[in-house]
Amino acid sequence: MAPILKDEVDIVIPTIRSLNFLENWRPFFEPYHLIIIQDGDPTKVIEVPKGFDYELYNRNDINRVLGPKANCISFKDGACRCFGFLVSKKKFIYTIDDDCFVAKDPTGKDIDTLTQHLDNLTKPSTPYFFNTLYDPYREGADFVRGYPFSLRQGVPTAVSHGLWLNIPDYDAPTQLVKPLERNTRYVDAVMTIPKGTLYPMCAMNLAFNRELIGAAMYFGIMGEGHPLGRYDDMWAGWCTKVVCDHLGYGVKTGLPYLWHSKASNPFVNLKKEYKGLFWQEEMIPFFQSVVLPKECTNAQQCYLELAKLTKEKLGPIDPYFHNFADAMVAWIEAWEEFNPPANAKTESA
Ligand SMILES: O=c1ccn([C@@H]2O[C@H](COP(=O)(O)OP(=O)(O)O[C@H]3O[C@@H](CO)[C@H](O)[C@H]3O)[C@@H](O)[C@H]2O)c(=O)[nH]1
Ligand SMILES: [Mn+2]
């Protein structure tokens, strides 16, 4: 099957290890452009398997491109991937971790995650009324009796959150008490996460519409030099869901599945994420209480409002959140530098 939307997609991969996993994805990824974010030591040479069309950025590149704003891009944490979202010019982003492989569906067929994500993103979402047959736009499903006809056209989908077989995305305490737990359950469903409901977004197998929500898909300041790690995708998931709810966009979760092969070290993970385990008991109520002004009509404006509220409401928890809010503003400044509004271009021409 021809690669769908080939020129409208960038695949963003953060790596501090190796890109050998791409061989496994070659049938699905080779036609697409890759943006590789090499984390860690920039002098280390990371081989990209032959035949892939890619651009690669290491820390020196990030510092060169962003100058002082480079501080808003994490170092020694998978959060660095959001630099790829910033420099992309495409409508859709698919981001995947380098320890993820092609999974098989119950019929034994290899799962083309990218095609399923693009299908999720190009069909509407239904955040205002739950459809009990799940995604009504999928082959073999529809709206059920009692579903309001006034809501059946749905809303644009901004995020498609895929799942993982084998190693589940557990936090360190769960990983420690359930070291042998494996996810073997393939649930054949895609569903819209209802408006007003948050969810734990994992960036392992994630796609989104960059034009709708890219400006809010910032992964924060994590890793080296910061008191928190492995909450990068969680933070981005809470921010983007609040922004999607405000702007009337949808977020889907479920298919596609991939095979997550490597469990990161739970003791290292505990050190990275432990503050998040109790801070999230305050972060979640913050996000649940956020009301964005109606004057915020795009993701950038919403995000700047979130930055202001983060400093005000979460700043008292720890000075980290003051720095975090500043980094959120720096991110938007960088975003607008790389993604000037269309009319700005004609003015300067
Ligand atoms: O310092 C680092 C650490 C990792 N990376 C790259 O980021 C992804 C995820 O790394 P890893 O697979 O080791 O982590 P997991 O615990 O399995 O991943 C979950 O935690 C989130 C952490 O952000 C992640 O999104 C979740 O899926 C790999 O590609 C590493 O190479 C890095 O760049 N720098
Ligand atoms: Mn992993």
Side-chain angles (χ1 to χ4, degrees), residues 248-271:
Y249 300 142
V251 175
K252 290 177 181 173
T253 188
L255 300 180
Y257 280 87
L258 49 64
W259 182 268
H260 183 210
S261 72
K262 198 195 306 293
S264 37
N265 181 308
F267 293 101
V268 171
N269 289 348
L270 188 57
K271 283 190 201 139

mmCIF file with all atom_site columns, all heavy atoms in Angstrom, residues 248-271:
data_model
loop_
_atom_site.group_PDB
_atom_site.id
_atom_site.type_symbol
_atom_site.label_atom_id
_atom_site.label_alt_id
_atom_site.label_comp_id
_atom_site.label_asym_id
_atom_site.label_entity_id
_atom_site.label_seq_id
_atom_site.pdbx_PDB_ins_code
_atom_site.Cartn_x
_atom_site.Cartn_y
_atom_site.Cartn_z
_atom_site.occupancy
_atom_site.B_iso_or_equiv
_atom_site.pdbx_formal_charge
_atom_site.auth_seq_id
_atom_site.auth_comp_id
_atom_site.auth_asym_id
_atom_site.auth_atom_id
_atom_site.pdbx_PDB_model_num
ATOM 1   N N   . GLY A 1 248 ? -11.651 22.764 21.404 1.00 0.00 ? 248 GLY A N   1
ATOM 2   C CA  . GLY A 1 248 ? -12.616 21.901 20.712 1.00 0.00 ? 248 GLY A CA  1
ATOM 3   C C   . GLY A 1 248 ? -11.971 20.864 19.810 1.00 0.00 ? 248 GLY A C   1
ATOM 4   O O   . GLY A 1 248 ? -12.498 20.503 18.753 1.00 0.00 ? 248 GLY A O   1
ATOM 5   N N   . TYR A 1 249 ? -10.818 20.372 20.213 1.00 0.00 ? 249 TYR A N   1
ATOM 6   C CA  . TYR A 1 249 ? -10.156 19.287 19.473 1.00 0.00 ? 249 TYR A CA  1
ATOM 7   C C   . TYR A 1 249 ? -10.274 17.987 20.269 1.00 0.00 ? 249 TYR A C   1
ATOM 8   O O   . TYR A 1 249 ? -10.539 18.005 21.476 1.00 0.00 ? 249 TYR A O   1
ATOM 9   C CB  . TYR A 1 249 ? -8.662  19.587 19.255 1.00 0.00 ? 249 TYR A CB  1
ATOM 10  C CG  . TYR A 1 249 ? -8.371  20.850 18.485 1.00 0.00 ? 249 TYR A CG  1
ATOM 11  C CD1 . TYR A 1 249 ? -7.295  21.656 18.839 1.00 0.00 ? 249 TYR A CD1 1
ATOM 12  C CD2 . TYR A 1 249 ? -9.170  21.264 17.411 1.00 0.00 ? 249 TYR A CD2 1
ATOM 13  C CE1 . TYR A 1 249 ? -7.016  22.833 18.149 1.00 0.00 ? 249 TYR A CE1 1
ATOM 14  C CE2 . TYR A 1 249 ? -8.904  22.438 16.715 1.00 0.00 ? 249 TYR A CE2 1
ATOM 15  C CZ  . TYR A 1 249 ? -7.818  23.213 17.084 1.00 0.00 ? 249 TYR A CZ  1
ATOM 16  O OH  . TYR A 1 249 ? -7.555  24.367 16.394 1.00 0.00 ? 249 TYR A OH  1
ATOM 17  N N   . GLY A 1 250 ? -10.025 16.847 19.581 1.00 0.00 ? 250 GLY A N   1
ATOM 18  C CA  . GLY A 1 250 ? -10.161 15.552 20.245 1.00 0.00 ? 250 GLY A CA  1
ATOM 19  C C   . GLY A 1 250 ? -8.828  14.855 20.454 1.00 0.00 ? 250 GLY A C   1
ATOM 20  O O   . GLY A 1 250 ? -7.852  15.118 19.746 1.00 0.00 ? 250 GLY A O   1
ATOM 21  N N   . VAL A 1 251 ? -8.817  13.975 21.445 1.00 0.00 ? 251 VAL A N   1
ATOM 22  C CA  . VAL A 1 251 ? -7.657  13.137 21.760 1.00 0.00 ? 251 VAL A CA  1
ATOM 23  C C   . VAL A 1 251 ? -8.130  11.681 21.779 1.00 0.00 ? 251 VAL A C   1
ATOM 24  O O   . VAL A 1 251 ? -9.096  11.356 22.464 1.00 0.00 ? 251 VAL A O   1
ATOM 25  C CB  . VAL A 1 251 ? -7.060  13.499 23.138 1.00 0.00 ? 251 VAL A CB  1
ATOM 26  C CG1 . VAL A 1 251 ? -5.925  12.544 23.511 1.00 0.00 ? 251 VAL A CG1 1
ATOM 27  C CG2 . VAL A 1 251 ? -6.555  14.939 23.154 1.00 0.00 ? 251 VAL A CG2 1
ATOM 28  N N   . LYS A 1 252 ? -7.478  10.837 20.988 1.00 0.00 ? 252 LYS A N   1
ATOM 29  C CA  . LYS A 1 252 ? -7.854  9.423  20.929 1.00 0.00 ? 252 LYS A CA  1
ATOM 30  C C   . LYS A 1 252 ? -6.766  8.546  21.557 1.00 0.00 ? 252 LYS A C   1
ATOM 31  O O   . LYS A 1 252 ? -5.580  8.884  21.499 1.00 0.00 ? 252 LYS A O   1
ATOM 32  C CB  . LYS A 1 252 ? -8.025  8.976  19.469 1.00 0.00 ? 252 LYS A CB  1
ATOM 33  C CG  . LYS A 1 252 ? -9.244  9.558  18.773 1.00 0.00 ? 252 LYS A CG  1
ATOM 34  C CD  . LYS A 1 252 ? -9.280  9.114  17.310 1.00 0.00 ? 252 LYS A CD  1
ATOM 35  C CE  . LYS A 1 252 ? -10.486 9.714  16.590 1.00 0.00 ? 252 LYS A CE  1
ATOM 36  N NZ  . LYS A 1 252 ? -10.433 9.422  15.131 1.00 0.00 ? 252 LYS A NZ  1
ATOM 37  N N   . THR A 1 253 ? -7.180  7.422  22.139 1.00 0.00 ? 253 THR A N   1
ATOM 38  C CA  . THR A 1 253 ? -6.224  6.450  22.659 1.00 0.00 ? 253 THR A CA  1
ATOM 39  C C   . THR A 1 253 ? -6.682  5.039  22.291 1.00 0.00 ? 253 THR A C   1
ATOM 40  O O   . THR A 1 253 ? -7.879  4.817  22.045 1.00 0.00 ? 253 THR A O   1
ATOM 41  C CB  . THR A 1 253 ? -6.042  6.562  24.195 1.00 0.00 ? 253 THR A CB  1
ATOM 42  O OG1 . THR A 1 253 ? -4.954  5.708  24.604 1.00 0.00 ? 253 THR A OG1 1
ATOM 43  C CG2 . THR A 1 253 ? -7.312  6.181  24.944 1.00 0.00 ? 253 THR A CG2 1
ATOM 44  N N   . GLY A 1 254 ? -5.699  4.146  22.197 1.00 0.00 ? 254 GLY A N   1
ATOM 45  C CA  . GLY A 1 254 ? -6.015  2.752  21.843 1.00 0.00 ? 254 GLY A CA  1
ATOM 46  C C   . GLY A 1 254 ? -5.087  2.256  20.752 1.00 0.00 ? 254 GLY A C   1
ATOM 47  O O   . GLY A 1 254 ? -3.874  2.479  20.829 1.00 0.00 ? 254 GLY A O   1
ATOM 48  N N   . LEU A 1 255 ? -5.667  1.655  19.715 1.00 0.00 ? 255 LEU A N   1
ATOM 49  C CA  . LEU A 1 255 ? -4.816  1.216  18.583 1.00 0.00 ? 255 LEU A CA  1
ATOM 50  C C   . LEU A 1 255 ? -4.071  2.421  18.017 1.00 0.00 ? 255 LEU A C   1
ATOM 51  O O   . LEU A 1 255 ? -4.607  3.524  18.024 1.00 0.00 ? 255 LEU A O   1
ATOM 52  C CB  . LEU A 1 255 ? -5.704  0.619  17.478 1.00 0.00 ? 255 LEU A CB  1
ATOM 53  C CG  . LEU A 1 255 ? -6.555  -0.602 17.834 1.00 0.00 ? 255 LEU A CG  1
ATOM 54  C CD1 . LEU A 1 255 ? -7.363  -1.031 16.617 1.00 0.00 ? 255 LEU A CD1 1
ATOM 55  C CD2 . LEU A 1 255 ? -5.683  -1.727 18.345 1.00 0.00 ? 255 LEU A CD2 1
ATOM 56  N N   . PRO A 1 256 ? -2.849  2.267  17.505 1.00 0.00 ? 256 PRO A N   1
ATOM 57  C CA  . PRO A 1 256 ? -2.136  1.010  17.267 1.00 0.00 ? 256 PRO A CA  1
ATOM 58  C C   . PRO A 1 256 ? -1.258  0.583  18.450 1.00 0.00 ? 256 PRO A C   1
ATOM 59  O O   . PRO A 1 256 ? -0.886  1.418  19.280 1.00 0.00 ? 256 PRO A O   1
ATOM 60  C CB  . PRO A 1 256 ? -1.247  1.359  16.071 1.00 0.00 ? 256 PRO A CB  1
ATOM 61  C CG  . PRO A 1 256 ? -0.905  2.798  16.308 1.00 0.00 ? 256 PRO A CG  1
ATOM 62  C CD  . PRO A 1 256 ? -2.131  3.413  16.928 1.00 0.00 ? 256 PRO A CD  1
ATOM 63  N N   . TYR A 1 257 ? -0.950  -0.721 18.469 1.00 0.00 ? 257 TYR A N   1
ATOM 64  C CA  . TYR A 1 257 ? 0.002   -1.267 19.437 1.00 0.00 ? 257 TYR A CA  1
ATOM 65  C C   . TYR A 1 257 ? 1.381   -1.399 18.778 1.00 0.00 ? 257 TYR A C   1
ATOM 66  O O   . TYR A 1 257 ? 1.471   -1.664 17.567 1.00 0.00 ? 257 TYR A O   1
ATOM 67  C CB  . TYR A 1 257 ? -0.429  -2.661 19.881 1.00 0.00 ? 257 TYR A CB  1
ATOM 68  C CG  . TYR A 1 257 ? -1.526  -2.685 20.928 1.00 0.00 ? 257 TYR A CG  1
ATOM 69  C CD1 . TYR A 1 257 ? -2.868  -2.656 20.561 1.00 0.00 ? 257 TYR A CD1 1
ATOM 70  C CD2 . TYR A 1 257 ? -1.222  -2.751 22.282 1.00 0.00 ? 257 TYR A CD2 1
ATOM 71  C CE1 . TYR A 1 257 ? -3.874  -2.680 21.510 1.00 0.00 ? 257 TYR A CE1 1
ATOM 72  C CE2 . TYR A 1 257 ? -2.219  -2.783 23.244 1.00 0.00 ? 257 TYR A CE2 1
ATOM 73  C CZ  . TYR A 1 257 ? -3.549  -2.744 22.851 1.00 0.00 ? 257 TYR A CZ  1
ATOM 74  O OH  . TYR A 1 257 ? -4.543  -2.774 23.806 1.00 0.00 ? 257 TYR A OH  1
ATOM 75  N N   . LEU A 1 258 ? 2.406   -1.276 19.583 1.00 0.00 ? 258 LEU A N   1
ATOM 76  C CA  . LEU A 1 258 ? 3.746   -1.676 19.169 1.00 0.00 ? 258 LEU A CA  1
ATOM 77  C C   . LEU A 1 258 ? 4.305   -2.590 20.272 1.00 0.00 ? 258 LEU A C   1
ATOM 78  O O   . LEU A 1 258 ? 3.658   -2.791 21.292 1.00 0.00 ? 258 LEU A O   1
ATOM 79  C CB  . LEU A 1 258 ? 4.665   -0.491 18.898 1.00 0.00 ? 258 LEU A CB  1
ATOM 80  C CG  . LEU A 1 258 ? 4.814   0.661  19.891 1.00 0.00 ? 258 LEU A CG  1
ATOM 81  C CD1 . LEU A 1 258 ? 5.407   0.252  21.211 1.00 0.00 ? 258 LEU A CD1 1
ATOM 82  C CD2 . LEU A 1 258 ? 5.622   1.784  19.252 1.00 0.00 ? 258 LEU A CD2 1
ATOM 83  N N   . TRP A 1 259 ? 5.501   -3.124 20.016 1.00 0.00 ? 259 TRP A N   1
ATOM 84  C CA  . TRP A 1 259 ? 6.129   -4.061 20.969 1.00 0.00 ? 259 TRP A CA  1
ATOM 85  C C   . TRP A 1 259 ? 7.245   -3.306 21.691 1.00 0.00 ? 259 TRP A C   1
ATOM 86  O O   . TRP A 1 259 ? 8.239   -2.912 21.088 1.00 0.00 ? 259 TRP A O   1
ATOM 87  C CB  . TRP A 1 259 ? 6.713   -5.253 20.213 1.00 0.00 ? 259 TRP A CB  1
ATOM 88  C CG  . TRP A 1 259 ? 7.341   -6.279 21.096 1.00 0.00 ? 259 TRP A CG  1
ATOM 89  C CD1 . TRP A 1 259 ? 8.654   -6.373 21.498 1.00 0.00 ? 259 TRP A CD1 1
ATOM 90  C CD2 . TRP A 1 259 ? 6.674   -7.384 21.703 1.00 0.00 ? 259 TRP A CD2 1
ATOM 91  N NE1 . TRP A 1 259 ? 8.843   -7.452 22.300 1.00 0.00 ? 259 TRP A NE1 1
ATOM 92  C CE2 . TRP A 1 259 ? 7.646   -8.103 22.444 1.00 0.00 ? 259 TRP A CE2 1
ATOM 93  C CE3 . TRP A 1 259 ? 5.351   -7.855 21.695 1.00 0.00 ? 259 TRP A CE3 1
ATOM 94  C CZ2 . TRP A 1 259 ? 7.330   -9.246 23.177 1.00 0.00 ? 259 TRP A CZ2 1
ATOM 95  C CZ3 . TRP A 1 259 ? 5.044   -8.993 22.418 1.00 0.00 ? 259 TRP A CZ3 1
ATOM 96  C CH2 . TRP A 1 259 ? 6.033   -9.689 23.135 1.00 0.00 ? 259 TRP A CH2 1
ATOM 97  N N   . HIS A 1 260 ? 7.049   -3.042 22.983 1.00 0.00 ? 260 HIS A N   1
ATOM 98  C CA  . HIS A 1 260 ? 8.053   -2.320 23.773 1.00 0.00 ? 260 HIS A CA  1
ATOM 99  C C   . HIS A 1 260 ? 9.024   -3.339 24.373 1.00 0.00 ? 260 HIS A C   1
ATOM 100 O O   . HIS A 1 260 ? 8.618   -4.187 25.156 1.00 0.00 ? 260 HIS A O   1
ATOM 101 C CB  . HIS A 1 260 ? 7.371   -1.509 24.871 1.00 0.00 ? 260 HIS A CB  1
ATOM 102 C CG  . HIS A 1 260 ? 8.311   -0.686 25.677 1.00 0.00 ? 260 HIS A CG  1
ATOM 103 N ND1 . HIS A 1 260 ? 8.093   -0.370 26.993 1.00 0.00 ? 260 HIS A ND1 1
ATOM 104 C CD2 . HIS A 1 260 ? 9.489   -0.097 25.347 1.00 0.00 ? 260 HIS A CD2 1
ATOM 105 C CE1 . HIS A 1 260 ? 9.098   0.376  27.443 1.00 0.00 ? 260 HIS A CE1 1
ATOM 106 N NE2 . HIS A 1 260 ? 9.962   0.546  26.461 1.00 0.00 ? 260 HIS A NE2 1
ATOM 107 N N   . SER A 1 261 ? 10.295  -3.251 23.990 1.00 0.00 ? 261 SER A N   1
ATOM 108 C CA  . SER A 1 261 ? 11.185  -4.388 24.268 1.00 0.00 ? 261 SER A CA  1
ATOM 109 C C   . SER A 1 261 ? 11.996  -4.242 25.548 1.00 0.00 ? 261 SER A C   1
ATOM 110 O O   . SER A 1 261 ? 12.369  -5.225 26.158 1.00 0.00 ? 261 SER A O   1
ATOM 111 C CB  . SER A 1 261 ? 12.185  -4.533 23.108 1.00 0.00 ? 261 SER A CB  1
ATOM 112 O OG  . SER A 1 261 ? 13.115  -3.466 23.200 1.00 0.00 ? 261 SER A OG  1
ATOM 113 N N   . LYS A 1 262 ? 12.267  -2.978 25.965 1.00 0.00 ? 262 LYS A N   1
ATOM 114 C CA  . LYS A 1 262 ? 13.271  -2.841 27.037 1.00 0.00 ? 262 LYS A CA  1
ATOM 115 C C   . LYS A 1 262 ? 12.698  -2.141 28.265 1.00 0.00 ? 262 LYS A C   1
ATOM 116 O O   . LYS A 1 262 ? 12.163  -1.035 28.155 1.00 0.00 ? 262 LYS A O   1
ATOM 117 C CB  . LYS A 1 262 ? 14.432  -2.006 26.480 1.00 0.00 ? 262 LYS A CB  1
ATOM 118 C CG  . LYS A 1 262 ? 15.719  -2.112 27.254 1.00 0.00 ? 262 LYS A CG  1
ATOM 119 C CD  . LYS A 1 262 ? 16.703  -1.022 26.893 1.00 0.00 ? 262 LYS A CD  1
ATOM 120 C CE  . LYS A 1 262 ? 17.011  -0.913 25.418 1.00 0.00 ? 262 LYS A CE  1
ATOM 121 N NZ  . LYS A 1 262 ? 17.728  -2.049 24.867 1.00 0.00 ? 262 LYS A NZ  1
ATOM 122 N N   . ALA A 1 263 ? 12.806  -2.772 29.414 1.00 0.00 ? 263 ALA A N   1
ATOM 123 C CA  . ALA A 1 263 ? 12.371  -2.087 30.628 1.00 0.00 ? 263 ALA A CA  1
ATOM 124 C C   . ALA A 1 263 ? 13.560  -1.275 31.139 1.00 0.00 ? 263 ALA A C   1
ATOM 125 O O   . ALA A 1 263 ? 14.643  -1.811 31.359 1.00 0.00 ? 263 ALA A O   1
ATOM 126 C CB  . ALA A 1 263 ? 11.966  -3.104 31.681 1.00 0.00 ? 263 ALA A CB  1
ATOM 127 N N   . SER A 1 264 ? 13.327  0.038  31.259 1.00 0.00 ? 264 SER A N   1
ATOM 128 C CA  . SER A 1 264 ? 14.437  0.847  31.781 1.00 0.00 ? 264 SER A CA  1
ATOM 129 C C   . SER A 1 264 ? 14.622  0.499  33.260 1.00 0.00 ? 264 SER A C   1
ATOM 130 O O   . SER A 1 264 ? 13.721  -0.042 33.903 1.00 0.00 ? 264 SER A O   1
ATOM 131 C CB  . SER A 1 264 ? 14.131  2.339  31.595 1.00 0.00 ? 264 SER A CB  1
ATOM 132 O OG  . SER A 1 264 ? 12.773  2.591  31.808 1.00 0.00 ? 264 SER A OG  1
ATOM 133 N N   . ASN A 1 265 ? 15.766  0.835  33.815 1.00 0.00 ? 265 ASN A N   1
ATOM 134 C CA  . ASN A 1 265 ? 16.117  0.418  35.172 1.00 0.00 ? 265 ASN A CA  1
ATOM 135 C C   . ASN A 1 265 ? 15.205  1.081  36.218 1.00 0.00 ? 265 ASN A C   1
ATOM 136 O O   . ASN A 1 265 ? 15.177  2.311  36.337 1.00 0.00 ? 265 ASN A O   1
ATOM 137 C CB  . ASN A 1 265 ? 17.585  0.821  35.445 1.00 0.00 ? 265 ASN A CB  1
ATOM 138 C CG  . ASN A 1 265 ? 18.014  0.385  36.844 1.00 0.00 ? 265 ASN A CG  1
ATOM 139 O OD1 . ASN A 1 265 ? 17.337  0.692  37.829 1.00 0.00 ? 265 ASN A OD1 1
ATOM 140 N ND2 . ASN A 1 265 ? 19.104  -0.361 36.900 1.00 0.00 ? 265 ASN A ND2 1
ATOM 141 N N   . PRO A 1 266 ? 14.447  0.283  36.979 1.00 0.00 ? 266 PRO A N   1
ATOM 142 C CA  . PRO A 1 266 ? 13.464  0.869  37.900 1.00 0.00 ? 266 PRO A CA  1
ATOM 143 C C   . PRO A 1 266 ? 14.096  1.714  39.008 1.00 0.00 ? 266 PRO A C   1
ATOM 144 O O   . PRO A 1 266 ? 13.505  2.692  39.460 1.00 0.00 ? 266 PRO A O   1
ATOM 145 C CB  . PRO A 1 266 ? 12.738  -0.344 38.483 1.00 0.00 ? 266 PRO A CB  1
ATOM 146 C CG  . PRO A 1 266 ? 13.606  -1.515 38.196 1.00 0.00 ? 266 PRO A CG  1
ATOM 147 C CD  . PRO A 1 266 ? 14.413  -1.180 36.980 1.00 0.00 ? 266 PRO A CD  1
ATOM 148 N N   . PHE A 1 267 ? 15.336  1.360  39.386 1.00 0.00 ? 267 PHE A N   1
ATOM 149 C CA  . PHE A 1 267 ? 15.987  2.150  40.454 1.00 0.00 ? 267 PHE A CA  1
ATOM 150 C C   . PHE A 1 267 ? 16.404  3.517  39.903 1.00 0.00 ? 267 PHE A C   1
ATOM 151 O O   . PHE A 1 267 ? 16.207  4.557  40.538 1.00 0.00 ? 267 PHE A O   1
ATOM 152 C CB  . PHE A 1 267 ? 17.193  1.381  41.006 1.00 0.00 ? 267 PHE A CB  1
ATOM 153 C CG  . PHE A 1 267 ? 16.806  0.125  41.736 1.00 0.00 ? 267 PHE A CG  1
ATOM 154 C CD1 . PHE A 1 267 ? 16.924  -1.116 41.121 1.00 0.00 ? 267 PHE A CD1 1
ATOM 155 C CD2 . PHE A 1 267 ? 16.261  0.194  43.013 1.00 0.00 ? 267 PHE A CD2 1
ATOM 156 C CE1 . PHE A 1 267 ? 16.537  -2.269 41.782 1.00 0.00 ? 267 PHE A CE1 1
ATOM 157 C CE2 . PHE A 1 267 ? 15.864  -0.961 43.688 1.00 0.00 ? 267 PHE A CE2 1
ATOM 158 C CZ  . PHE A 1 267 ? 15.990  -2.195 43.060 1.00 0.00 ? 267 PHE A CZ  1
ATOM 159 N N   . VAL A 1 268 ? 16.925  3.502  38.670 1.00 0.00 ? 268 VAL A N   1
ATOM 160 C CA  . VAL A 1 268 ? 17.280  4.790  38.034 1.00 0.00 ? 268 VAL A CA  1
ATOM 161 C C   . VAL A 1 268 ? 16.000  5.605  37.840 1.00 0.00 ? 268 VAL A C   1
ATOM 162 O O   . VAL A 1 268 ? 15.949  6.794  38.134 1.00 0.00 ? 268 VAL A O   1
ATOM 163 C CB  . VAL A 1 268 ? 17.975  4.529  36.676 1.00 0.00 ? 268 VAL A CB  1
ATOM 164 C CG1 . VAL A 1 268 ? 18.159  5.832  35.898 1.00 0.00 ? 268 VAL A CG1 1
ATOM 165 C CG2 . VAL A 1 268 ? 19.315  3.820  36.883 1.00 0.00 ? 268 VAL A CG2 1
ATOM 166 N N   . ASN A 1 269 ? 14.946  4.894  37.397 1.00 0.00 ? 269 ASN A N   1
ATOM 167 C CA  . ASN A 1 269 ? 13.670  5.598  37.150 1.00 0.00 ? 269 ASN A CA  1
ATOM 168 C C   . ASN A 1 269 ? 13.113  6.200  38.433 1.00 0.00 ? 269 ASN A C   1
ATOM 169 O O   . ASN A 1 269 ? 12.584  7.306  38.436 1.00 0.00 ? 269 ASN A O   1
ATOM 170 C CB  . ASN A 1 269 ? 12.657  4.629  36.535 1.00 0.00 ? 269 ASN A CB  1
ATOM 171 C CG  . ASN A 1 269 ? 13.015  4.267  35.102 1.00 0.00 ? 269 ASN A CG  1
ATOM 172 O OD1 . ASN A 1 269 ? 13.886  4.911  34.494 1.00 0.00 ? 269 ASN A OD1 1
ATOM 173 N ND2 . ASN A 1 269 ? 12.371  3.254  34.565 1.00 0.00 ? 269 ASN A ND2 1
ATOM 174 N N   . LEU A 1 270 ? 13.266  5.469  39.552 1.00 0.00 ? 270 LEU A N   1
ATOM 175 C CA  . LEU A 1 270 ? 12.723  5.971  40.827 1.00 0.00 ? 270 LEU A CA  1
ATOM 176 C C   . LEU A 1 270 ? 13.410  7.282  41.203 1.00 0.00 ? 270 LEU A C   1
ATOM 177 O O   . LEU A 1 270 ? 12.766  8.249  41.617 1.00 0.00 ? 270 LEU A O   1
ATOM 178 C CB  . LEU A 1 270 ? 12.909  4.929  41.924 1.00 0.00 ? 270 LEU A CB  1
ATOM 179 C CG  . LEU A 1 270 ? 12.223  5.222  43.269 1.00 0.00 ? 270 LEU A CG  1
ATOM 180 C CD1 . LEU A 1 270 ? 10.721  5.420  43.082 1.00 0.00 ? 270 LEU A CD1 1
ATOM 181 C CD2 . LEU A 1 270 ? 12.479  4.103  44.266 1.00 0.00 ? 270 LEU A CD2 1
ATOM 182 N N   . LYS A 1 271 ? 14.722  7.319  40.999 1.00 0.00 ? 271 LYS A N   1
ATOM 183 C CA  . LYS A 1 271 ? 15.465  8.557  41.314 1.00 0.00 ? 271 LYS A CA  1
ATOM 184 C C   . LYS A 1 271 ? 14.966  9.713  40.445 1.00 0.00 ? 271 LYS A C   1
ATOM 185 O O   . LYS A 1 271 ? 14.847  10.844 40.890 1.00 0.00 ? 271 LYS A O   1
ATOM 186 C CB  . LYS A 1 271 ? 16.965  8.343  41.068 1.00 0.00 ? 271 LYS A CB  1
ATOM 187 C CG  . LYS A 1 271 ? 17.663  7.555  42.168 1.00 0.00 ? 271 LYS A CG  1
ATOM 188 C CD  . LYS A 1 271 ? 19.185  7.590  41.968 1.00 0.00 ? 271 LYS A CD  1
ATOM 189 C CE  . LYS A 1 271 ? 19.863  6.429  42.701 1.00 0.00 ? 271 LYS A CE  1
ATOM 190 N NZ  . LYS A 1 271 ? 20.942  5.832  41.893 1.00 0.00 ? 271 LYS A NZ  1
#
